[in-house]
Amino acid sequence: MTDTAIATGTDEPVADFAARARAWLAQNMPPIDPDDPPFMVRAEQQSWDRAKELQKKLYEGGFAGICFPREYGGLGLDLAYQKAFNAECRSYEMPLILNTPSFTICGATILDVGSEEQKRERISAAIRGDEILCQLLSEPSGGSDLAGVITRAEKVGDKWIINGAKTWSTSAFAADYGLMLARTDWTVPKHEGLTMFLVPLAAPGITMRRIKEVNGNEEFCEEFFDGLELGDDAVVGAVNDGWTVASRQLHHERRAVGGGSEFASGTGAENASEMPPDHVGLAIATGQDTDPRVQDLAGRAYARRIVKEQLIEHVSRSIADGSLPPNAGTLIRLFHAETTELEVDTALAIAGTAGVIDDGDGLLEIGVRYLSRQTGSLGGGSSEMARNVISERVLGFPREAAADRGVPFNQVKRNKS
Ligand SMILES: Cc1cc2nc3c(=O)[nH]c(=O)nc-3n(C[C@H](O)[C@H](O)[C@H](O)COP(=O)(O)OP(=O)(O)OC[C@H]3O[C@@H](n4cnc5c(N)ncnc54)[C@H](O)[C@@H]3O)c2cc1C
């Protein structure tokens, strides 16, 4: 930890911390136009190298890991300090791509349930800008039924031997360690035979491939485990209690997606393509600003965005004061996904055929963005699963029927068996 980080403590008023951050940022971080941030492409290694470089600067300046405990390399401060820092750093280039999943989901989960060694080593390495963490949960056989994973971990002597496959791992190619859920006991019901492992991604026995998406991006990866060997020190939480760990991950993911994680540093879109489309500007640029149909479309999308912002505020506050259960974070996640789809659909409806033709006016970007409009409805669990969570765990409706409930996993019928 740097001297500056050691010197920082809860005795420092938030306003003083903010003033110190303001002065340091002006001296040390590259300034940007917050309405036109530099392009960070998650699929490109150079974006991650740049993010690590910026993270190291923050660490050396004593402004990294603001809400992580001091013993793991952070500052041990509360959300008010992180919010103050976020307000100050808006006009500077920040390593935003490190926030999710590395800090907000993986770091947060390790902090909750990891061993002392995992916390000291992995969290502090991430805060220093030396390492990146990712999630290895979904499998080729499906991601919605997370408790049904079939990647196998068997204890042979003092080693765990891993065989299986994972897919859709965001930015795994750039990561150093991944939280990987595997089945360690097939004789008990599905939630009871799982264990979470912290996997070093460069280890022998792992083959990683990039997945090419329909929009040309290659951000996601798939991993094949062929006799990967891990020690007991790779187990996160307890053996056969991996569902508890995975549940913490999902909890942190819901908070992160809704913008409610104290472990995210910096605000705003990672790049211009993530910012809400400017429907009014688009209507003017295409000469349709007096068209009542276009006005109606833009008005609907705008109203939806305002409602989303208020919903995030209301639900976050209600979860914090206990008037809504933590699972209510799924309301934010669902509304966010639906709003994103509406915003992108609206942009394409206004652009019309110009959105799918590359004639140099920049409107093709809208068509390309349309191709990935549904990612928000799948990442961190699909919108259908989000509705299940809301109905069963927020509204209290009966749980959906499940043929495998309470059945030992090795007796559950899978695929056509
Ligand atoms: C942007 C993005 C980032 C991601 N990042 C990661 C990552 O870092 N790590 C990782 O492990 N995975 C990641 N994923 C994968 C993601 O978690 C899965 O895509 C998701 O859980 C759905 O799994 P699936 O694609 O296998 O669909 P399936 O589980 O095969 O589902 C197919 C369809 O059936 C529906 N369905 C399934 N079960 C039910 C049910 N019980 N009730 C109603 N409908 C149901 C689903 O909603 C879906 O529409 C990411 C995905 C995206 C899009």
Side-chain angles (χ1 to χ4, degrees):
M1 192 180 290
T2 64
D3 289 346
T4 324
I6 290 165
T8 314
T10 45
D11 290 347
E12 185 180 29
V14 175
D16 292 4
F17 175 79
R20 198 159 55 77
R22 193 177 315 135
W24 182 84
L25 285 160
Q27 291 290 317
N28 295 282
M29 294 300 271
I32 57 159
D33 172 358
D35 296 322
D36 186 18
F39 212 56
M40 274 248 176
V41 183
R42 275 179 170 256
E44 288 176 7
Q45 182 60 45
Q46 67 196 45
S47 297
W48 296 94
D49 296 341
R50 175 71 177 155
K52 280 179 161 179
E53 207 179 295
L54 294 169
Q55 182 67 24
K56 280 188 209 301
K57 271 180 187 273
L58 290 171
Y59 178 73
E60 282 159 13
F63 290 101
I66 291 174
C67 291
F68 280 102
R70 299 176 77 179
E71 57 270 39
Y72 308 131
L75 302 189
L77 300 173
D78 67 26
L79 182 58
Y81 291 81
Q82 183 63 65
K83 281 189 171 168
F85 186 75
N86 290 348
E88 297 299 336
C89 70
R90 258 196 102 237
S91 303
Y92 297 93
E93 189 182 355
M94 288 285 292
L96 296 177
I97 56 174
L98 297 182
N99 281 339
T100 300
S102 194
F103 286 126
T104 60
I105 304 175
C106 303
T109 302
I110 293 170
L111 184 62
D112 284 349
V113 288
S115 67
E116 195 54 29
E117 186 189 344
Q118 288 162 351
K119 292 182 205 178
R120 283 194 188 281
E121 293 189 358
R122 300 286 79 77
I123 294 177
S124 56
I127 291 174
R128 286 196 308 270
D130 288 340
E131 289 181 2
I132 294 171
L133 304 163
C134 73
Q135 307 196 82
L136 310 174
L137 301 174
S138 305
E139 299 192 346
S141 54
S144 297
D145 182 18
L146 183 55
V149 297
I150 53 174
T151 290
R152 178 183 289 268
E154 282 167 306
K155 194 78 191 269
V156 180
D158 61 352
K159 294 277 178 219
W160 290 97
I161 308 297
I162 318 291
N163 285 288
K166 296 286 173 179
T167 190
W168 305 123
S169 330
T170 304
S171 318
F173 70 92
D176 300 278
Y177 283 81
L179 285 168
M180 193 274 296
L181 190 63
R183 188 160 302 281
T184 37
D185 187 346
W186 297 67
T187 66
V188 292
K190 64 179 181 181
H191 293 90
E192 296 166 27
L194 301 167
T195 302
M196 190 70 76
F197 294 88
L198 194 48
V199 176
L201 293 168
I206 304 180
T207 307
M208 189 184 290
R209 286 195 208 139
R210 307 276 286 263
I211 300 173
K212 189 158 192 163
E213 294 163 65
V214 67
N215 61 4
N217 257 352
E218 293 189 40
E219 182 195 344
F220 298 106
C221 298
E222 56 185 350
E223 302 80 23
F224 301 93
F225 306 112
D226 296 297
L228 165 68
E229 290 187 13
L230 298 173
D232 281 332
D233 58 351
V235 173
V236 182
V239 172
N240 291 330
D241 195 27
W243 188 247
T244 301
V245 185
S247 301
R248 289 311 294 169
Q249 258 174 275
L250 296 175
H251 165 75
H252 286 300
E253 181 145 23
R254 283 194 288 268
R255 296 180 73 229
V257 170
S261 173
E262 67 274 39
F263 301 116
S265 197
T267 51
E270 284 173 13
N271 57 57
S273 73
E274 287 210 341
M275 293 167 86
D278 175 8
H279 298 124
V280 175
L282 182 59
I284 294 169
T286 53
Q288 302 177 84
D289 48 319
T290 55
D291 181 337
R293 182 192 73 96
V294 170
Q295 290 175 347
D296 186 48
L297 285 171
R300 276 180 205 210
Y302 183 65
R304 178 91 187 195
R305 192 181 308 163
I306 299 296
V307 172
K308 183 184 96 171
E309 280 159 17
Q310 296 194 353
L311 183 85
I312 291 174
E313 196 65 34
H314 174 73
V315 172
S316 304
R317 206 177 37 244
S318 303
I319 293 173
D321 70 18
S323 53
L324 277 175
N327 278 318
T330 307
L331 291 163
I332 296 176
R333 145 77 187 74
L334 180 61
F335 205 79
H336 172 74
E338 291 185 340
T339 304
T340 303
E341 285 178 24
L342 178 73
E343 287 182 327
V344 177
D345 290 354
T346 302
L348 190 62
I350 297 173
T353 50
V356 292
I357 297 167
D358 187 7
D359 62 3
D361 57 9
L363 295 181
L364 181 64
E365 277 303 310
I366 294 170
V368 172
R369 193 166 170 183
Y370 180 85
L371 294 175
S372 55
R373 69 195 259 288
Q374 281 174 301
T375 51
S377 305
L378 278 170
S382 70
S383 287
E384 288 78 13
M385 297 309 283
R387 288 195 184 90
N388 286 349
V389 171
I390 293 166
S391 69
E392 295 173 15
R393 295 187 223 155
V394 180
L395 298 174
F397 282 110
R399 292 180 70 185
E400 70 172 330
D404 57 4
R405 189 165 296 138
V407 180
F409 196 72
N410 56 9
Q411 291 171 32
V412 172
K413 288 196 170 154
R414 294 195 304 278
N415 299 324
K416 291 181 181 163
S417 63

PDB file of all heavy atoms in Angstrom, residues 156-175:
ATOM      1  N   VAL A 156      -8.560 -36.202  -6.466  1.00  0.00           N
ATOM      2  CA  VAL A 156      -7.657 -37.338  -6.659  1.00  0.00           C
ATOM      3  C   VAL A 156      -6.412 -37.035  -5.833  1.00  0.00           C
ATOM      4  O   VAL A 156      -5.657 -36.116  -6.161  1.00  0.00           O
ATOM      5  CB  VAL A 156      -7.293 -37.526  -8.152  1.00  0.00           C
ATOM      6  CG1 VAL A 156      -6.343 -38.707  -8.326  1.00  0.00           C
ATOM      7  CG2 VAL A 156      -8.544 -37.715  -9.000  1.00  0.00           C
ATOM      8  N   GLY A 157      -6.213 -37.771  -4.737  1.00  0.00           N
ATOM      9  CA  GLY A 157      -5.117 -37.448  -3.816  1.00  0.00           C
ATOM     10  C   GLY A 157      -5.376 -36.074  -3.226  1.00  0.00           C
ATOM     11  O   GLY A 157      -6.472 -35.790  -2.745  1.00  0.00           O
ATOM     12  N   ASP A 158      -4.375 -35.187  -3.321  1.00  0.00           N
ATOM     13  CA  ASP A 158      -4.591 -33.842  -2.772  1.00  0.00           C
ATOM     14  C   ASP A 158      -4.919 -32.826  -3.871  1.00  0.00           C
ATOM     15  O   ASP A 158      -4.839 -31.625  -3.657  1.00  0.00           O
ATOM     16  CB  ASP A 158      -3.368 -33.395  -1.958  1.00  0.00           C
ATOM     17  CG  ASP A 158      -2.111 -33.331  -2.820  1.00  0.00           C
ATOM     18  OD1 ASP A 158      -2.173 -33.781  -3.990  1.00  0.00           O
ATOM     19  OD2 ASP A 158      -1.088 -32.831  -2.338  1.00  0.00           O
ATOM     20  N   LYS A 159      -5.295 -33.332  -5.055  1.00  0.00           N
ATOM     21  CA  LYS A 159      -5.594 -32.421  -6.176  1.00  0.00           C
ATOM     22  C   LYS A 159      -7.061 -32.526  -6.589  1.00  0.00           C
ATOM     23  O   LYS A 159      -7.675 -33.591  -6.468  1.00  0.00           O
ATOM     24  CB  LYS A 159      -4.748 -32.801  -7.407  1.00  0.00           C
ATOM     25  CG  LYS A 159      -3.268 -32.586  -7.220  1.00  0.00           C
ATOM     26  CD  LYS A 159      -2.907 -31.143  -7.475  1.00  0.00           C
ATOM     27  CE  LYS A 159      -1.424 -30.902  -7.255  1.00  0.00           C
ATOM     28  NZ  LYS A 159      -1.164 -29.615  -6.612  1.00  0.00           N
ATOM     29  N   TRP A 160      -7.579 -31.422  -7.110  1.00  0.00           N
ATOM     30  CA  TRP A 160      -8.872 -31.436  -7.791  1.00  0.00           C
ATOM     31  C   TRP A 160      -8.586 -31.523  -9.284  1.00  0.00           C
ATOM     32  O   TRP A 160      -7.777 -30.743  -9.812  1.00  0.00           O
ATOM     33  CB  TRP A 160      -9.650 -30.150  -7.503  1.00  0.00           C
ATOM     34  CG  TRP A 160     -10.144 -30.049  -6.096  1.00  0.00           C
ATOM     35  CD1 TRP A 160      -9.545 -29.385  -5.064  1.00  0.00           C
ATOM     36  CD2 TRP A 160     -11.331 -30.636  -5.566  1.00  0.00           C
ATOM     37  NE1 TRP A 160     -10.290 -29.522  -3.920  1.00  0.00           N
ATOM     38  CE2 TRP A 160     -11.401 -30.281  -4.195  1.00  0.00           C
ATOM     39  CE3 TRP A 160     -12.355 -31.423  -6.097  1.00  0.00           C
ATOM     40  CZ2 TRP A 160     -12.440 -30.683  -3.359  1.00  0.00           C
ATOM     41  CZ3 TRP A 160     -13.388 -31.825  -5.273  1.00  0.00           C
ATOM     42  CH2 TRP A 160     -13.430 -31.464  -3.923  1.00  0.00           C
ATOM     43  N   ILE A 161      -9.233 -32.468  -9.962  1.00  0.00           N
ATOM     44  CA  ILE A 161      -9.047 -32.607 -11.408  1.00  0.00           C
ATOM     45  C   ILE A 161     -10.336 -32.126 -12.084  1.00  0.00           C
ATOM     46  O   ILE A 161     -11.425 -32.646 -11.818  1.00  0.00           O
ATOM     47  CB  ILE A 161      -8.769 -34.082 -11.810  1.00  0.00           C
ATOM     48  CG1 ILE A 161      -7.617 -34.661 -10.958  1.00  0.00           C
ATOM     49  CG2 ILE A 161      -8.468 -34.185 -13.304  1.00  0.00           C
ATOM     50  CD1 ILE A 161      -6.279 -33.987 -11.141  1.00  0.00           C
ATOM     51  N   ILE A 162     -10.181 -31.127 -12.955  1.00  0.00           N
ATOM     52  CA  ILE A 162     -11.353 -30.483 -13.566  1.00  0.00           C
ATOM     53  C   ILE A 162     -11.475 -30.890 -15.031  1.00  0.00           C
ATOM     54  O   ILE A 162     -10.508 -30.786 -15.801  1.00  0.00           O
ATOM     55  CB  ILE A 162     -11.232 -28.934 -13.512  1.00  0.00           C
ATOM     56  CG1 ILE A 162     -10.702 -28.451 -12.158  1.00  0.00           C
ATOM     57  CG2 ILE A 162     -12.550 -28.268 -13.894  1.00  0.00           C
ATOM     58  CD1 ILE A 162     -11.600 -28.619 -10.987  1.00  0.00           C
ATOM     59  N   ASN A 163     -12.687 -31.311 -15.412  1.00  0.00           N
ATOM     60  CA  ASN A 163     -12.986 -31.602 -16.816  1.00  0.00           C
ATOM     61  C   ASN A 163     -14.346 -31.010 -17.163  1.00  0.00           C
ATOM     62  O   ASN A 163     -15.306 -31.162 -16.400  1.00  0.00           O
ATOM     63  CB  ASN A 163     -13.017 -33.117 -17.061  1.00  0.00           C
ATOM     64  CG  ASN A 163     -11.619 -33.705 -17.087  1.00  0.00           C
ATOM     65  OD1 ASN A 163     -10.856 -33.499 -18.035  1.00  0.00           O
ATOM     66  ND2 ASN A 163     -11.259 -34.405 -16.014  1.00  0.00           N
ATOM     67  N   GLY A 164     -14.415 -30.338 -18.306  1.00  0.00           N
ATOM     68  CA  GLY A 164     -15.693 -29.746 -18.713  1.00  0.00           C
ATOM     69  C   GLY A 164     -15.467 -28.528 -19.578  1.00  0.00           C
ATOM     70  O   GLY A 164     -14.366 -28.323 -20.111  1.00  0.00           O
ATOM     71  N   ALA A 165     -16.514 -27.714 -19.715  1.00  0.00           N
ATOM     72  CA  ALA A 165     -16.405 -26.530 -20.583  1.00  0.00           C
ATOM     73  C   ALA A 165     -17.273 -25.399 -20.052  1.00  0.00           C
ATOM     74  O   ALA A 165     -18.321 -25.634 -19.450  1.00  0.00           O
ATOM     75  CB  ALA A 165     -16.841 -26.893 -22.003  1.00  0.00           C
ATOM     76  N   LYS A 166     -16.817 -24.185 -20.274  1.00  0.00           N
ATOM     77  CA  LYS A 166     -17.571 -22.971 -19.911  1.00  0.00           C
ATOM     78  C   LYS A 166     -17.675 -22.094 -21.153  1.00  0.00           C
ATOM     79  O   LYS A 166     -16.852 -22.203 -22.072  1.00  0.00           O
ATOM     80  CB  LYS A 166     -16.843 -22.205 -18.797  1.00  0.00           C
ATOM     81  CG  LYS A 166     -16.756 -22.978 -17.486  1.00  0.00           C
ATOM     82  CD  LYS A 166     -18.093 -23.012 -16.776  1.00  0.00           C
ATOM     83  CE  LYS A 166     -18.073 -23.911 -15.560  1.00  0.00           C
ATOM     84  NZ  LYS A 166     -19.364 -23.933 -14.857  1.00  0.00           N
ATOM     85  N   THR A 167     -18.662 -21.209 -21.149  1.00  0.00           N
ATOM     86  CA  THR A 167     -18.812 -20.349 -22.331  1.00  0.00           C
ATOM     87  C   THR A 167     -19.372 -18.979 -21.958  1.00  0.00           C
ATOM     88  O   THR A 167     -19.811 -18.780 -20.821  1.00  0.00           O
ATOM     89  CB  THR A 167     -19.702 -21.049 -23.388  1.00  0.00           C
ATOM     90  OG1 THR A 167     -19.640 -20.307 -24.611  1.00  0.00           O
ATOM     91  CG2 THR A 167     -21.151 -21.142 -22.935  1.00  0.00           C
ATOM     92  N   TRP A 168     -19.316 -18.061 -22.898  1.00  0.00           N
ATOM     93  CA  TRP A 168     -19.800 -16.674 -22.738  1.00  0.00           C
ATOM     94  C   TRP A 168     -19.076 -15.930 -21.625  1.00  0.00           C
ATOM     95  O   TRP A 168     -19.652 -15.035 -21.002  1.00  0.00           O
ATOM     96  CB  TRP A 168     -21.322 -16.624 -22.472  1.00  0.00           C
ATOM     97  CG  TRP A 168     -22.139 -17.307 -23.501  1.00  0.00           C
ATOM     98  CD1 TRP A 168     -23.029 -18.321 -23.297  1.00  0.00           C
ATOM     99  CD2 TRP A 168     -22.149 -17.042 -24.913  1.00  0.00           C
ATOM    100  NE1 TRP A 168     -23.583 -18.708 -24.491  1.00  0.00           N
ATOM    101  CE2 TRP A 168     -23.058 -17.940 -25.497  1.00  0.00           C
ATOM    102  CE3 TRP A 168     -21.464 -16.141 -25.736  1.00  0.00           C
ATOM    103  CZ2 TRP A 168     -23.311 -17.977 -26.863  1.00  0.00           C
ATOM    104  CZ3 TRP A 168     -21.716 -16.173 -27.096  1.00  0.00           C
ATOM    105  CH2 TRP A 168     -22.626 -17.074 -27.637  1.00  0.00           C
ATOM    106  N   SER A 169     -17.834 -16.299 -21.361  1.00  0.00           N
ATOM    107  CA  SER A 169     -17.097 -15.644 -20.277  1.00  0.00           C
ATOM    108  C   SER A 169     -16.616 -14.276 -20.759  1.00  0.00           C
ATOM    109  O   SER A 169     -15.724 -14.185 -21.610  1.00  0.00           O
ATOM    110  CB  SER A 169     -15.894 -16.480 -19.866  1.00  0.00           C
ATOM    111  OG  SER A 169     -16.159 -17.845 -20.075  1.00  0.00           O
ATOM    112  N   THR A 170     -17.202 -13.234 -20.191  1.00  0.00           N
ATOM    113  CA  THR A 170     -16.877 -11.872 -20.609  1.00  0.00           C
ATOM    114  C   THR A 170     -15.409 -11.565 -20.341  1.00  0.00           C
ATOM    115  O   THR A 170     -14.940 -11.714 -19.207  1.00  0.00           O
ATOM    116  CB  THR A 170     -17.750 -10.860 -19.831  1.00  0.00           C
ATOM    117  OG1 THR A 170     -19.106 -11.189 -20.040  1.00  0.00           O
ATOM    118  CG2 THR A 170     -17.498  -9.433 -20.270  1.00  0.00           C
ATOM    119  N   SER A 171     -14.699 -11.165 -21.379  1.00  0.00           N
ATOM    120  CA  SER A 171     -13.316 -10.671 -21.275  1.00  0.00           C
ATOM    121  C   SER A 171     -12.345 -11.664 -20.639  1.00  0.00           C
ATOM    122  O   SER A 171     -11.310 -11.250 -20.111  1.00  0.00           O
ATOM    123  CB  SER A 171     -13.266  -9.367 -20.465  1.00  0.00           C
ATOM    124  OG  SER A 171     -14.315  -8.522 -20.803  1.00  0.00           O
ATOM    125  N   ALA A 172     -12.652 -12.957 -20.698  1.00  0.00           N
ATOM    126  CA  ALA A 172     -11.766 -13.934 -20.051  1.00  0.00           C
ATOM    127  C   ALA A 172     -10.366 -13.921 -20.670  1.00  0.00           C
ATOM    128  O   ALA A 172      -9.379 -14.196 -19.989  1.00  0.00           O
ATOM    129  CB  ALA A 172     -12.374 -15.331 -20.139  1.00  0.00           C
ATOM    130  N   PHE A 173     -10.274 -13.567 -21.958  1.00  0.00           N
ATOM    131  CA  PHE A 173      -8.957 -13.567 -22.619  1.00  0.00           C
ATOM    132  C   PHE A 173      -8.002 -12.577 -21.952  1.00  0.00           C
ATOM    133  O   PHE A 173      -6.787 -12.735 -22.011  1.00  0.00           O
ATOM    134  CB  PHE A 173      -9.103 -13.231 -24.112  1.00  0.00           C
ATOM    135  CG  PHE A 173      -9.487 -11.797 -24.363  1.00  0.00           C
ATOM    136  CD1 PHE A 173      -8.518 -10.828 -24.557  1.00  0.00           C
ATOM    137  CD2 PHE A 173     -10.814 -11.411 -24.372  1.00  0.00           C
ATOM    138  CE1 PHE A 173      -8.866  -9.501 -24.762  1.00  0.00           C
ATOM    139  CE2 PHE A 173     -11.180 -10.092 -24.571  1.00  0.00           C
ATOM    140  CZ  PHE A 173     -10.201  -9.130 -24.758  1.00  0.00           C
ATOM    141  N   ALA A 174      -8.576 -11.543 -21.327  1.00  0.00           N
ATOM    142  CA  ALA A 174      -7.734 -10.517 -20.704  1.00  0.00           C
ATOM    143  C   ALA A 174      -7.543 -10.771 -19.213  1.00  0.00           C
ATOM    144  O   ALA A 174      -6.798 -10.061 -18.549  1.00  0.00           O
ATOM    145  CB  ALA A 174      -8.371  -9.142 -20.904  1.00  0.00           C
ATOM    146  N   ALA A 175      -8.236 -11.796 -18.692  1.00  0.00           N
ATOM    147  CA  ALA A 175      -8.258 -11.999 -17.237  1.00  0.00           C
ATOM    148  C   ALA A 175      -7.144 -12.945 -16.776  1.00  0.00           C
ATOM    149  O   ALA A 175      -6.580 -13.703 -17.566  1.00  0.00           O
ATOM    150  CB  ALA A 175      -9.616 -12.547 -16.816  1.00  0.00           C
TER     151      ALA A 175
END
